[in-house]
Structure formats: C-alpha cells, structure tokens
Amino acid sequence: MLNIVILAAGLGTRMKSNFPKVLHALAGRPMLAYVIDSALALRPSSITIVVGNESNQIRDFVKRYSCDVNFVVQVNQLGTGHAVKQALPNLLDSGSEKDSTLILYGDVPLVKTITMESLLEARKNGLGILTSFLDNPNGYGRIIRDHNGFIRKIVEHRDANQIELNIKEINTGIIAVPTVLLKKWIVNLNNDNKQKEYYLTDIVGMAVSEGVFVGSSRPKENWEILGVNNHVQQANLERIWQEEQAKLIMESGVTLADPKRIDIRGTLECGKDVFIDVGCIFEGVVVLGDNVRIGPYCILKDVCIARDSIVNAYSHLCDANLGNNVQIGPFSRLRDCIDIDSYSKIGNFVEIKNSNFGKLSKANHLTYIGDADIGSNVNIGAGTITCNYDGLNKFRTIIEDNAFIGSDSQLIAPVMVGKDATIAAGTTLTNDAPEGQLTLSRVRQYSIPDWTRPGSGNSKKD
Ligand code: UD1
Ligand code: CA
C-alpha cells in the first residue's frame, strides 16, 4: 500500500503573487499538476495534499484536474514534520513496514516517476531519502553519514556547524517512509531548533536510533529536484524543461532551427523530417505529419497537420485540422474548429473561424471567413467577408465546389453560393447565388464629363 503526501502549505511569499505558489505554471501547466501526474503514475492507494489556509484555488484546480485526492489544511506553517502530521489520518496501512508513504513537494514539479520508484526500492522496508550533490548546497539540509557511509541524520542548514556546512550531499526533501513508523515518529517530533519548526528530517535520527535501515537514492537527472521559490527559479526551471522537450523532439527526428527558441506547453508529436523555425509556441496537443514545415514565430494550439504542409511565419492556429500539402500564412489566423482539406492555400491576413475549407481551395489575401462551409476548388478573392453575425445570432455561409468569389465581396449569411457560380468583385450578396451563373450587385459606373474639381481649372475666385 502506497500513500503519497504532497506538501503545499508553504506561503510562497517570495512569488509576490495573489495565487498559491503551486498553481504557478511551468510550460503552461500549474506545477502541482506535474506532481500529481507523477504521483498517479505510481498507482498509490491514497494521495493527500497538505494545503495552507488560503487553499480554495488549489482545491478548485485539483477538483477539475483529478478527483481522487484528499486535502488537509495546515493552519499554521510550523514545519515539514508538522505538515505531514496533518496528513496522518489519511494514510492507509496494513501494519506492515512494507507499506510506504512517499513525501513530495508541490513546488518541486519535475521529479520523475522512475526516480520515485528507485527511492521506494532503495528504502528496503526502512527509510529512503532522495539525495543529491550540489556545488552550492546553501539552504539545504545536509546528509550526515558515518565512516561506513550509512546515513546518521539530516542537519538543516541553519542548525549546521562549519564541518556539516561543507557537506555537499543534500536532502532533496523527497522521502519514503514505512507508514506505520511515520505515524509513530511524527508525533514525537519537537521544534527544538533554530527555526522553531517541526522538522520532518528529524525522523532520520529516530530511525537510526531504532536500528531501522536508512537508504538513499539519487535522481536520474540533476534538475529533477529543483524547487521554485521565486520567479527567477521558475524561469530557470522553465528553460531547463523546454531544453529537455526540445532535445526529445530532436531525438525523434525533428530539425529545430534553434532548440533554445521553442516553447512546448503541451505535447508535440512529429513525423519524419519536420522542420520548425525559431520562436514557435506549441500548446495543447499538436501533431505534425512528415515533412511539415513551421515558419518562424507561429503559435499552434490543438492542431493536427498532415504531411507536406507548410505554415509560414507569424501564423496563429488554434483548434485546427489541416490536410496534406496545405499552405498557410504568413500572418494567417485559424481558430475554433477548422478543417482545411489538402492542397488548399490560406494566405496573408486571412482569418478563418469555425469553417470547413475544401480541397484545392484558396483564400490568398485579406479575408474573413466565419461559420462557412467551402467546397473544393473554390477561389476566394481578396477582401471577401462572410457577414456571419447580426449582433445576436451567427449564420452559416455555404460556398459550393468551383465557385469564384470576386474581391471585396460581402456574403451576408445565411447565404449560399452554388456550384460553379461566379460572384463579381464588389458584390454584396444578400440572396443565394445560383449555380453556374455570374451574380453581381453593383451600382452601374458612370462618369460626369463637365465636372471640375473644386479649386482647380477655371475657378475665378481669388
Ligand atoms: C526542507 C528540508 C531540507 C531540504 C529542503 C529541500 C525539512 C525540515 N527541511 O527545507 O532538509 O534540503 O526542504 O528543499 O524538512 N511546507 C509545508 N508546511 C510547512 C513547511 C513547509 O507544507 O509548515 C512545504 C512547503 O510548501 C514546501 C516544502 O514543504 O513545499 C518544503 O518547505 P521549505 O520551507 O521550502 O523547505 P525547508 O524547510 O527550507
Ligand atoms: Ca522552512
């Protein structure tokens, strides 16, 4: 039986924020979500989050995110031991020392599941401490070992003597404990130290004095144990995480113009020979097929693009499905349920919303298409606007195969353009345009031959 306790009651004052620290984001997701995900991957019997007084935002987030989590409130932040004590009533155990409780921190988001697993292994029915060696161990609890290399205790930085301060092996804070022993030890903690806190780390000394094995393990990667106390550390961790993501997708076969200039805030799955230029942001779930090229400074959120398609510079795509050999941008905006069929072209300054766009169709310049179903091989001229909104309701525009919409037309929805129809430039279409015909709504052009421009020619006024 495995219990997981996530400590998240710390005030996070150095974030200087109205939001709880653990809800601050890393790659677009609250830090706490990472910790919950890694915890869930261990299939624990219980997860308990220890929160402070102002915890409603955390509860609301977690309820939306994952249902199977308990909350306990630590009213006063009297230390990590005191925090874990609040969780004791939620910890399940059969009385066997095989049952563990794993302590995690809500503000240390990137500890890998495999690292947690190896810690649970290393405790061998005793205590397990995830340790790390740091060139600058300032602020951390130091791991004190005897001459045989066995851990004797953890000394907090503020309580350490000069010799102890020189030790570079530190307590990451992630600890695995037999649940029965944790329940016994926690109630015996005192706050007889410099910070007047109940230190969870004091259970190490208790284990040693009772002859309980104290093992340790190290994280797979050094950055896993980094915590966030301020926005500088948050930004530092963000860059580390982004570089890791970039490395993974390069390893999967993607060419990145610059791995330091890509941000993946979600998942990005790529086929072979994908190229991504600098400054792109990927959010939600993005899937790119073979040979897809993404130009510089594009934003793609929840987008799926089939092979051989190109998204040119500065395009913003959200909730879109693109076929193969499609060309988008530069400066295109696609949003809200878009389906663009293969070989289509959407050019500069074209916005498309909630629409289907058929095969081989084009809207190359300066157009708004909203709530439209466009057939295949349709040409939409520059400056075309679907007038889809009457101030209250939205209406659809239907344009059938092979239609040609002349430049600067307004299609007042609901309206339909039939197959092979041609709409003359400058038309304001208020009724359906029949198939195969030319439809125009234009004031006839005329000229006034003897007109003079004011202030010019034979004006006598001076
Ligand atoms: C703690 C460890 C230290 C370790 C360091 C790693 C103890 C006594 N010290 O230090 O050995 O090197 O973490 O970062 O355990 N929290 C609560 N309630 C509290 C106090 C803390 O929920 O009353 C939570 C915080 O939100 C945070 C975590 O516990 O997530 C650690 O607290 P923090 O104050 O950062 O750790 P230290 O006491 O500095
Ligand atoms: Ca502290």
Side-chain angles (χ1 to χ4, degrees):
M1 243 178 255
L2 171 65
N3 302 287
I4 291 179
V5 176
I6 301 172
L7 302 188
L11 295 174
T13 39
R14 279 176 285 167
M15 296 301 277
K16 305 218 163 53
S17 166
N18 292 325
F19 299 103
K21 176 164 67 172
V22 294
L23 294 189
H24 281 263
L26 193 73
R29 288 167 72 215
M31 292 192 278
L32 187 59
Y34 291 79
V35 184
I36 292 174
D37 278 358
S38 317
L40 284 171
L42 294 170
R43 304 185 163 281
S45 317
S46 80
I47 297 181
T48 304
I49 305 183
V50 183
V51 292
N53 278 326
E54 309 280 328
S55 62
N56 285 342
Q57 295 174 76
I58 300 182
R59 283 170 197 260
D60 290 347
F61 167 73
V62 173
K63 271 192 202 124
R64 271 182 281 126
Y65 190 74
S66 160
C67 45
D68 249 4
V69 173
N70 307 309
F71 284 94
V72 293
V73 176
Q74 184 193 25
V75 178
N76 296 307
Q77 278 67 62
L78 304 180
T80 49
H82 181 258
V84 172
K85 189 177 174 191
Q86 316 308 309
L88 291 186
N90 289 309
L91 305 185
L92 310 167
D93 77 293
S94 64
S96 157
E97 288 175 17
K98 285 204 176 99
D99 296 336
S100 334
T101 295
L102 178 66
I103 316 288
L104 304 174
Y105 289 178
D107 55 1
V108 181
L110 296 183
V111 183
K112 294 183 175 196
T113 302
I114 188 171
T115 295
M116 299 177 189
E117 279 164 347
S118 68
L119 176 64
L120 288 164
E121 193 118 312
R123 80 173 187 91
K124 297 198 180 82
N125 291 349
L127 195 68
I129 301 163
L130 187 70
T131 77
S132 183
F133 285 85
L134 297 182
D135 289 337
N136 176 8
N138 244 335
Y140 286 91
R142 307 298 206 280
I143 305 293
I144 314 295
R145 293 178 184 266
D146 64 18
H147 52 274
N148 292 318
F150 289 114
I151 294 175
R152 304 302 298 171
K153 59 177 176 176
I154 295 175
V155 176
E156 289 307 299
H157 183 95
R158 303 224 337 233
D159 302 302
N161 62 35
Q162 199 48 53
I163 294 167
E164 290 163 340
L165 286 177
N166 288 334
I167 294 172
K168 302 225 186 290
E169 188 181 14
I170 58 97
N171 169 32
T172 64
I174 313 298
I175 292 182
V177 201
T179 307
V180 264
L181 298 179
L182 181 69
K183 287 180 174 173
K184 186 176 85 180
W185 290 334
I186 283 284
V187 293
N188 291 327
L189 291 176
N190 63 52
N191 64 351
D192 192 6
N193 52 54
K194 288 259 166 62
Q195 303 187 79
K196 295 278 164 269
E197 283 184 7
Y198 294 89
Y199 291 163
L200 175 65
T201 43
D202 283 349
I203 65 172
V204 178
M206 295 178 179
V208 169
S209 66
E210 290 180 24
V212 173
F213 174 77
V214 182
S216 68
S217 69
R218 309 252 298 274
K220 202 161 179 284
E221 313 279 356
N222 279 332
W223 45 259
E224 287 178 57
I225 59 135
L226 295 175
V228 171
N229 293 305
N230 56 41
H231 290 292
V232 175
Q233 290 174 341
Q234 181 189 15
N236 180 40
L237 205 55
E238 174 80 25
R239 284 305 103 207
I240 290 172
W241 183 241
Q242 290 302 342
E243 272 185 46
E244 285 304 311
Q245 307 284 99
K247 217 190 285 170
L248 285 178
I249 63 162
M250 286 189 292
E251 280 164 7
S252 80
V254 174
T255 301
L256 294 182
D258 182 355
K260 286 201 187 312
R261 284 185 286 168
I262 177 170
D263 283 86
I264 302 171
R265 303 174 189 157
T267 60
L268 173 59
E269 194 187 303
C270 298
K272 288 209 176 76
D273 300 307
V274 166
F275 172 78
I276 298 172
D277 215 323
V278 299
C280 294
I281 299 176
F282 299 89
E283 297 181 87
V285 178
V286 176
V287 180
L288 307 179
D290 292 353
N291 301 317
V292 165
R293 296 179 69 85
I294 309 292
Y297 304 105
C298 291
I299 301 173
L300 276 65
K301 179 178 186 192
D302 295 316
V303 171
C304 184
I305 306 182
R307 73 188 146 75
D308 300 310
S309 290
I310 300 177
V311 178
N312 290 302
Y314 300 104
S315 294
H316 191 169
L317 282 57
C318 183
D319 190 10
N321 206 349
L322 277 48
N324 60 282
N325 296 80
V326 162
Q327 276 191 54
I328 306 289
F331 298 100
S332 295
R333 171 141 196 239
L334 310 183
R335 62 186 175 96
D336 303 344
C337 201
I338 296 292
D339 202 286
I340 309 279
D341 211 338
S342 44
Y343 294 94
S344 290
K345 257 187 95 183
I346 311 295
N348 15 214
F349 307 105
V350 173
E351 175 180 359
I352 307 188
K353 190 215 81 171
N354 186 21
S355 295
N356 301 307
F357 208 83
K359 212 178 237 177
L360 289 160
S361 290
K362 294 186 197 119
N364 277 337
H365 336 264
L366 296 158
T367 282
Y368 174 64
I369 299 171
D371 304 304
D373 298 300
I374 291 163
S376 60
N377 209 29
V378 168
N379 193 324
I380 295 184
T384 299
I385 296 170
T386 56
C387 307
N388 58 328
Y389 186 48
D390 63 5
L392 184 65
N393 306 295
K394 300 272 168 77
F395 300 98
R396 288 197 84 80
T397 299
I398 295 169
I399 302 177
E400 294 189 334
D401 297 351
N402 300 315
F404 181 99
I405 314 294
S407 297
D408 193 27
S409 296
Q410 301 96 52
L411 314 178
I412 309 211
V415 76
M416 173 166 149
V417 177
K419 216 155 127 299
D420 299 305
T422 301
I423 306 298
T427 295
T428 300
L429 197 67
T430 47
N431 299 308
D432 292 354
E435 71 174 66
Q437 299 183 24
L438 170 68
T439 298
L440 65 166
S441 75
R442 223 187 247 172
V443 178
R444 275 195 190 277
Q445 180 174 329
Y446 65 101
S447 306
I448 303 173
D450 52 1
W451 179 83
T452 51
R453 189 185 292 173
S456 73
N458 42 11
S459 163
K460 294 257 163 59
K461 195 172 177 258
D462 44 24

